[in-house]
Amino acid sequence: MHVIGLTGGIASGKSTVTTFFRDRGIPVIDADVLGHRTYDPGTDTYRKVIETFGQDVVAPDGTIDRKVLGGKVFGKPEELKKLTDIVWPGIRRLASEQLAEFEAAGNELVVLEAAVLFEAGWEDLVDEIWVVVVDPEIAVQRLAARNGLDPEAARARIASQLTNEERIRRGHVIIENNGTLEELNARIQQAWEALQERLRSAAGRN
């Protein structure tokens, strides 16, 4: 089974790429969705989050109150690292389980979408990495339009992430998304065709 790691910054266009794959019947594992699952009551992550950040992060219904937890780590790198040290291993475990299930089911291609693929050190879970990049100022405009964020708040969120240069240096397939949706889809199609060629060549060698 061939695993593509898909990553990119906020408002880069990752969801358009995952839609492309899903439309072709390719399974997509969404690390964000797994991240929500790690907080489920009864999990190790749930217990450790409460131990580390206090009982007040528990909502009346017994779930983790993400807003309260976010307030404890936002703008505090040391506290955020405590949280990611708890959550990222839980996400990795769930992703590994899903990958094993897809392989057992006979899937030949799977996508793992993870904004923090590099930061979390998950490169070893995938065979190649696709990076979607967008100019930071274009990302600011898209965030303002999509989420209603004011430009300074948008810039702060973007500045807290890895730079495009760092992602490009560590990625294998780079998809630039500074233009229209049609242009992005054309670039995804090109990358898809090149992937098919690589997989055919690999199958031929085997």
Side-chain angles (χ1 to χ4, degrees):
M1 186 174 77
H2 192 81
V3 183
I4 294 173
L6 173 66
T7 192
I10 191 166
S12 61
K14 294 187 300 297
S15 60
T16 304
V17 183
T18 57
T19 298
F20 181 94
F21 280 107
R22 286 191 173 107
D23 286 348
R24 282 152 185 78
I26 310 299
V28 176
I29 300 170
D30 185 336
D32 274 352
V33 172
L34 300 186
H36 285 280
R37 278 179 52 197
T38 63
Y39 287 104
D40 285 349
T43 63
D44 282 349
T45 302
Y46 177 87
R47 181 176 49 76
K48 289 175 185 172
V49 166
I50 296 169
E51 284 174 3
T52 305
F53 295 99
Q55 195 66 35
D56 58 326
V57 302
V58 181
D61 66 356
T63 61
I64 298 288
D65 188 322
R66 303 286 288 267
K67 277 192 174 174
V68 173
L69 181 60
K72 288 175 178 269
V73 302
F74 184 74
K76 302 170 187 170
E78 289 182 9
E79 295 301 300
L80 181 60
K81 185 174 187 311
K82 284 182 192 174
L83 181 59
T84 57
D85 283 349
I86 295 169
V87 175
W88 285 351
I91 297 174
R92 181 191 177 95
R93 188 165 55 249
L94 290 173
S96 297
E97 288 171 5
Q98 285 203 351
L99 286 168
E101 288 168 9
F102 282 131
E103 186 160 27
N107 288 279
E108 296 180 358
L109 182 64
V110 174
V111 176
L112 171 61
E113 180 196 354
V116 296
L117 184 78
F118 295 127
E119 295 92 326
W122 296 335
E123 294 101 318
D124 61 316
L125 292 178
V126 304
D127 296 298
E128 64 178 72
I129 298 170
W130 289 28
V131 177
V132 191
V133 293
V134 61
D135 181 85
E137 277 308 305
I138 294 175
V140 167
Q141 294 165 20
R142 289 178 183 163
L143 275 175
R146 187 180 78 189
N147 296 15
L149 279 184
D150 72 77
E152 286 314 305
R155 286 190 186 93
R157 288 184 66 173
I158 291 164
S160 70
Q161 302 180 329
L162 282 184
T163 64
N164 282 343
E165 289 74 21
E166 176 68 9
R167 288 196 182 93
I168 288 168
R169 186 177 66 79
R170 297 166 70 177
H172 303 107
V173 176
I174 313 303
I175 299 174
E176 177 263 301
N177 179 24
N178 290 329
T180 65
L181 181 60
E182 289 74 19
E183 289 169 330
L184 174 59
N185 278 318
R187 291 190 176 98
I188 299 168
Q189 181 67 36
Q190 287 175 339
W192 167 257
E193 290 170 3
L195 169 68
Q196 298 305 304
E197 192 58 44
R198 286 198 302 283
L199 294 178
R200 277 194 294 271
S201 296
R205 287 195 298 275
N206 292 335

